[in-house]
Amino acid sequence: RRVHGEKHNELMLNIWFQSFFTFDLFSLVVCAFLFFTTFVVFFYLKSLYRMAATNEQNGSFDGSTDAAEALKERANSFFKTGDNEKAIEFYTKAIDLNPTAVAYYSNRSIAYLKIELFGAALNDANKAVELDNSFVKGYYRRAAANMSLGKFRLALRDFELVKKRRPNDKDAQMKYTECNKVVKRQAFEKAIATDDTSKSLLDTLDIESINIDADYISAKLEKDGKITLEFVNQILKEFKDEKRLHKKYVFQILRQIRDMFKTLDSLVSINVPNDSKFTVCGDIHGQFYDLLNIFELNGLPSEDNPYLFNGDFVDRGSFSVEVILILFSLKLLYPNHLYLARGNHETETMNQMYGFEGEVKAKYSSDMALLFTEIYNLLPLAHVINDRVFVTHGGLFSQDGVKLSDIRCLDRNRQPPESGIMCDLLWSDPMESLGRAPSKRGVGIQFGPDITRGFCELNGLDYVIRSHEVK
């Protein structure tokens, strides 16, 4: 029994030691794991706290949502002051930190619209709708971009959706109505269209029978309608006083300028004598007082002081009518010393979107607005100075091998197409990298210095002058 008891006790002791050892090892592993995890979490939270404190002190940001919101607010402040390019820069930074925030794309879209990068605006609006198909502003931005691109049916579809979801939104209702009118008008014009484009509204007007009230004391044309320097100086002064030229004289100016533009090629050659000054001006955009300032600094156009105004005379500014009437009058006065080229804003869609059409209707009539559209179709598309310098509003082409002779014989008497030589001349932009790329405007292309070099070499040119961008 004693022996048996001793062996039994020894066996129980071994079992107890083995159990204790096994349990103790398991506990140690668990405790070590918990300690390590707690250690890692503690230092991770501590590092986040330090980072947040540092960011709060120095204004730098990490990839947090709060940081993205702060960047968006900075972008909004730039947008409110009209600095759209800076706004785009900060909206882009916000998107980099939080690429799923639909409002950032919507906000950047309208900033792109402000600087006429319609393609980029459309892409952002599409992205906003893709991320959240219930985000109404995304559809509104997409409609605005499509409308700017002249895609009125696509725009109408989105405006209709916005109107249904926000029935009390007066702005949405107004945009829907405006777009719907354009779609219906286009359908009507297409239905009654004929191949005869020779008829002009000017030819149906009996301008001579238009009466001028006896109390009209502003500028007057000669009986034969001839433009004189005295008349130009007088309307410059009266437009400064915000007086309006009588519609009879406006019709006479438009008829004369129409007849003059009809005789010109799409590419006009200019000869400038050696050692002579020649001034090229970019976008005026209805800024009458800027035009006056140019004349004050650089002198009025004359036979000794020739000018080329390189498109975008109208839209945006409140005095587009005054600007274009001054330029047309000067062209009639100095046909060989003042030159006018068509810009992308001398088009029907842009005039509807950016104010010129509404301004003409308010100051004169709907018929007058149609006449301006007709005349803009006749504006030359480009100029070449002394066969060495090519001047156009937009830029170069989506294809190689374009010659000056191709431009000269273009049929320009129409609204610009969405692609091709005429479109590129009005819409394209240069870029620093080589080759070609799609344009953020959604129309035309971006072209590199190699494209410019190739065009110049092919046509024996020294360089290209263009406008279209404010830098």
Side-chain angles (χ1 to χ4, degrees):
R1 285 181 181 176
R2 188 180 299 134
V3 172
H4 178 72
E6 290 174 356
K7 288 184 176 179
H8 173 75
N9 292 336
E10 184 179 355
L11 178 62
M12 292 300 294
L13 189 63
N14 287 337
I15 291 172
W16 185 84
F17 272 114
Q18 288 175 8
S19 299
F20 177 82
F21 180 77
T22 303
F23 174 77
D24 189 53
L25 182 62
F26 176 77
S27 298
L28 285 172
V29 170
V30 170
C31 288
F33 174 78
L34 290 174
F35 178 80
F36 177 78
T37 304
T38 303
F39 178 86
V40 170
V41 170
F42 173 79
F43 278 95
Y44 175 72
L45 292 174
K46 189 175 181 181
S47 66
L48 285 180
Y49 174 81
R50 285 179 175 174
M51 190 180 298
T54 303
N55 290 341
E56 187 174 354
Q57 289 176 354
N58 61 26
S60 63
F61 302 102
D62 63 2
S64 69
T65 302
D66 289 342
E69 277 295 299
L71 288 166
K72 183 204 78 173
E73 290 303 320
R74 286 195 69 185
N76 287 347
S77 65
F78 284 119
F79 180 78
K80 288 175 183 177
T81 60
D83 192 346
N84 295 299
E85 291 189 357
K86 204 70 177 175
I88 289 167
E89 177 187 336
F90 277 87
Y91 285 136
T92 302
K93 289 179 180 179
I95 288 169
D96 289 341
L97 292 182
N98 187 2
T100 60
V102 292
Y104 301 172
Y105 293 98
S106 175
N107 290 3
R108 191 171 68 173
S109 177
I110 192 171
Y112 276 135
L113 279 173
K114 293 288 185 180
I115 59 173
E116 296 185 16
L117 297 182
F118 306 127
L122 183 59
N123 290 339
D124 273 356
N126 280 329
K127 184 65 176 179
V129 171
E130 176 189 321
L131 288 169
D132 183 358
N133 60 13
S134 65
F135 186 66
V136 177
K137 276 189 178 179
Y139 295 98
Y140 188 91
R141 300 283 184 255
R142 188 167 71 181
N146 274 320
M147 198 167 177
S148 298
L149 290 166
K151 299 176 180 178
F152 293 101
R153 289 186 179 277
L154 291 175
L156 184 63
R157 190 184 306 165
D158 281 336
F159 279 136
E160 187 171 14
L161 184 147
V162 173
K163 185 172 70 78
K164 285 180 180 178
R165 293 191 183 180
R166 291 187 177 177
N168 297 322
D169 190 324
K170 292 182 180 179
D171 185 65
Q173 178 66 51
M174 181 184 70
K175 289 292 185 183
Y176 170 81
T177 303
E178 179 185 346
C179 189
N180 195 30
K181 283 182 179 178
V182 174
V183 170
K184 287 182 176 179
R185 190 188 74 210
Q186 287 181 338
F188 176 73
E189 289 173 351
K190 185 177 180 181
I192 65 171
T194 67
D195 294 331
D196 184 11
T197 59
S198 60
K199 275 195 173 183
S200 166
L201 182 59
L202 280 167
D203 297 329
T204 67
L205 291 173
D206 185 3
I207 298 174
E208 280 66 33
S209 68
I210 297 175
N211 292 321
I212 299 175
D213 295 337
D215 59 352
Y216 176 80
I217 58 172
S218 297
K220 297 179 181 179
L221 285 173
E222 300 292 322
K223 289 185 178 180
D224 59 0
K226 185 178 180 181
I227 302 290
T228 64
L229 181 58
E230 180 184 0
F231 173 80
V232 171
N233 285 325
Q234 190 173 357
I235 61 174
L236 280 168
K237 179 180 180 299
E238 292 183 355
F239 287 167
K240 192 188 295 185
D241 296 333
E242 298 191 22
K243 293 181 179 180
R244 196 169 298 168
L245 185 63
H246 196 279
K247 65 179 181 179
K248 179 173 184 175
Y249 301 132
V250 177
F251 281 130
Q252 288 179 314
I253 291 170
L254 294 183
R255 182 169 59 186
Q256 291 179 67
I257 202 73
R258 186 273 314 260
D259 294 343
M260 178 179 287
F261 285 149
K262 272 186 172 182
T263 67
L264 302 178
D265 292 330
S266 293
L267 173 66
V268 174
S269 294
I270 302 172
N271 294 313
V272 179
N274 292 334
D275 301 322
S276 296
K277 183 177 83 168
F278 188 87
T279 302
V280 179
C281 290
D283 308 17
I284 300 296
H285 275 307
Q287 301 295 336
F288 174 66
Y289 293 96
D290 286 355
L291 182 64
L292 292 181
N293 192 47
I294 290 170
F295 291 157
E296 184 177 341
L297 294 172
N298 198 58
L300 273 174
S302 68
E303 294 180 355
D304 298 320
N305 191 27
Y307 280 80
L308 164 56
F309 286 90
N310 199 32
D312 280 12
F313 319 121
V314 299
D315 282 334
R316 293 207 181 103
S318 301
F319 301 97
S320 292
V321 169
E322 288 76 8
V323 166
I324 196 64
L325 288 177
I326 290 292
L327 294 178
F328 281 174
S329 297
L330 286 166
K331 176 63 179 174
L332 291 168
L333 181 61
Y334 301 114
N336 299 316
H337 298 88
L338 187 126
Y339 300 88
L340 301 174
R342 190 176 190 176
N344 63 299
H345 274 267
E346 280 70 59
T347 56
E348 185 177 21
T349 299
M350 301 301 282
N351 293 163
Q352 290 166 350
M353 291 293 298
Y354 288 91
F356 180 66
E357 181 182 283
E359 183 185 337
V360 177
K361 288 179 178 179
K363 292 178 178 178
Y364 290 101
S365 66
S366 297
D367 282 348
M368 189 82 78
L370 291 173
L371 286 176
F372 276 109
T373 298
E374 178 185 326
I375 290 166
Y376 290 160
N377 287 348
L378 297 169
L379 279 164
L381 301 175
H383 293 77
V384 59
I385 302 172
N386 292 352
D387 297 324
R388 306 299 296 176
V389 181
F390 181 74
V391 189
T392 192
H393 177 75
L396 301 183
F397 313 101
S398 55
Q399 62 189 57
D400 292 326
V402 176
K403 297 180 179 179
L404 297 182
S405 57
D406 298 324
I407 302 168
R408 199 179 301 276
C409 65
L410 271 177
D411 177 15
R412 68 184 186 276
N413 188 9
R414 54 181 171 150
Q415 291 300 297
E418 293 186 6
S419 61
I421 294 176
M422 182 176 178
C423 172
D424 294 335
L425 287 167
L426 299 179
W427 282 97
S428 291
D429 295 299
M431 63 180 183
E432 293 183 3
S433 55
L434 300 178
R436 295 180 174 91
S439 173
K440 289 184 178 181
R441 297 179 187 270
V443 191
I445 62 155
Q446 294 184 91
F447 59 95
D450 55 325
I451 304 301
T452 305
R453 190 180 306 112
F455 175 74
C456 288
E457 289 175 354
L458 177 66
N459 291 284
L461 300 167
D462 294 333
Y463 56 91
V464 173
I465 295 175
R466 44 93 62 183
S467 307
H468 196 39
E469 291 177 293
V470 179
K471 291 294 187 184

